[in-house]
Amino acid sequence: MLDYDDESKERRQTVDSSLFYFEHEGPPAQFHRYPGMPDYCGPAIAAIAAVETAAIVISAASGIGVNTRRMYNVAKNYGLARMIIVTRLDAENANVADVFSSIQETFGLECHPINLPADGGKGVIDCLANDSGSADLLDVGECHTALIDRIVETDDTLMEQFMETGSVPPEKLGPAIGNAVAMGHLVPVLFVSAKHDVGVKELLDAIIRYAPSPLVGKKRTLVVGEGETATETVIEPDLEGDFVAQVFKITSDPKSNISTRSRACTAAR
Ligand SMILES: Nc1nc2c(ncn2[C@@H]2O[C@H](COP(=O)(O)OP(=O)(O)OP(=O)(O)O)[C@@H](O)[C@H]2O)c(=O)[nH]1
Ligand SMILES: [Mg+2]
């Protein structure tokens, strides 16, 4: 649906970016979708300035690619929240266990599964809600404990409760997970088979619950002036505040009728 430009349709591969939004049990989530091919990664790098979370998609069949490392590091160095989505669980040559361990090896132990593939890739099991169960890779109980451990590290009160009782009720973890994701202490890893609609609802749930809103995501700075006299102000998102915008992409639509538009502008003037 999003590959609507002629070149992408012809190549059957995304060459241009597209924007959309979806509503799923909460306020609308704004989405930017970018090509994965290294030759076309410029717009994705420019878009870092316009988003709170970078979701990096990795195929369970081909694993980490050249551009995966590059985009992950660009997002990390800029201070964005990150998520990793492992797709094509169902592919014949998928090797989810190897791909997952290479994700942790390459990007660190902050990359933590929020769910795991189960039933031979026919479903996913939630590692936060379940402290036991069977999955196609790893141990659900161990993943559950390690996940809670990582989340409570960012919150002293929850950490105390965890140390005293050995557990924290999942409903108390909600805001702490969002903060852990926003500060990059936790990078949720989710598993999906787009072809068989496996893990897709769970992915949308995770985006709505854990991807930071502009209120908790990376704060942008307004720079006025240049050189030594430049002033920098951190922009606090405020619905009642002044309008602030940043251009991150300029495009001209070859199908738009410019002469009609300029006539309309003349008439309006
Ligand atoms: N078996 C299987 N194939 C999939 C799945 N998701 C996508 N594919 C196939 O993989 C190919 C690439 O999928 P795309 O969605 O175009 O991948 P992409 O991430 O947008 O790749 P770029 O456009 O190059 O950035 C297509 O032929 C899809 O049909 C999946 O979950 N399972
Ligand atoms: Mg594509």
Side-chain angles (χ1 to χ4, degrees):
M1 275 165 63
L2 296 170
D3 285 344
Y4 41 69
D5 59 287
D6 291 340
E7 198 180 340
S8 298
K9 277 195 231 163
E10 210 171 283
R11 285 169 168 249
R12 301 180 67 95
Q13 205 164 27
T14 311
V15 301
D16 200 2
S17 56
S18 53
L19 267 68
F20 65 106
Y21 75 94
F22 72 84
E23 287 183 50
H24 173 77
E25 296 170 10
Q30 177 88 43
F31 243 87
H32 298 217
R33 194 283 319 253
Y34 293 95
M37 275 186 297
D39 291 354
Y40 295 92
C41 71
I45 293 171
I48 294 280
V51 299
E52 276 73 42
T53 307
I56 318 269
V57 183
I58 299 176
S59 161
S62 50
I64 293 176
V66 186
N67 219 28
T68 318
R69 275 191 197 84
R70 182 176 187 182
M71 289 313 302
Y72 186 96
N73 289 330
V74 167
K76 183 178 177 177
N77 295 339
Y78 185 73
L80 288 188
R82 281 144 281 141
M83 279 189 175
I84 292 179
I85 305 165
V86 179
T87 57
R88 306 187 72 167
L89 284 185
D90 61 287
E92 246 173 51
N93 49 347
N95 189 339
V96 194
D98 276 5
V99 168
F100 178 71
S101 61
S102 69
I103 287 173
Q104 282 198 325
E105 239 168 64
T106 313
F107 302 124
L109 293 177
E110 64 264 39
C111 302
H112 211 289
I114 292 278
N115 60 32
L116 286 169
D119 298 328
K122 293 199 180 69
V124 289
I125 177 162
D126 187 326
C127 300
L128 192 64
N130 300 289
D131 57 11
S132 64
S134 85
D136 298 346
L137 66 146
L138 305 177
D139 182 274
V140 177
E142 280 174 20
C143 280
H144 173 82
T145 311
L147 180 57
I148 293 184
D149 212 5
R150 189 152 270 279
I151 296 163
V152 299
E153 274 168 6
T154 59
D155 187 307
D156 290 345
T157 320
L158 293 177
M159 178 62 119
E160 253 171 55
Q161 186 176 352
F162 186 58
M163 298 299 266
E164 277 167 22
T165 64
S167 70
V168 181
E171 63 275 11
K172 276 201 166 179
L173 289 169
I177 305 177
N179 288 336
V181 175
M183 61 175 87
H185 188 69
L186 170 66
V187 176
V189 181
L190 293 118
F191 295 86
V192 167
S193 163
K195 195 171 182 180
H196 297 294
D197 197 13
V198 169
V200 176
K201 183 191 174 298
E202 290 80 355
L203 171 63
L204 298 182
D205 288 344
I207 289 169
I208 294 301
R209 286 180 198 151
Y210 312 137
S213 76
L215 278 177
V216 281
K218 180 182 166 65
K219 295 276 178 344
R220 268 58 189 209
T221 310
L222 178 70
V223 183
V224 179
E226 280 180 81
E228 283 178 15
T229 54
T231 58
E232 290 193 11
T233 318
V234 175
I235 303 167
E236 292 295 338
D238 178 3
L239 280 177
E240 306 299 320
D242 292 334
F243 176 72
V244 183
Q246 170 154 5
V247 176
F248 66 95
K249 181 182 173 178
I250 300 172
T251 183
S252 99
D253 180 355
K255 293 206 175 96
S256 70
N257 189 335
I258 292 165
S259 59
T260 311
R261 272 209 307 199
S262 62
R263 270 207 301 277
C265 287
T266 316
R269 243 188 262 131

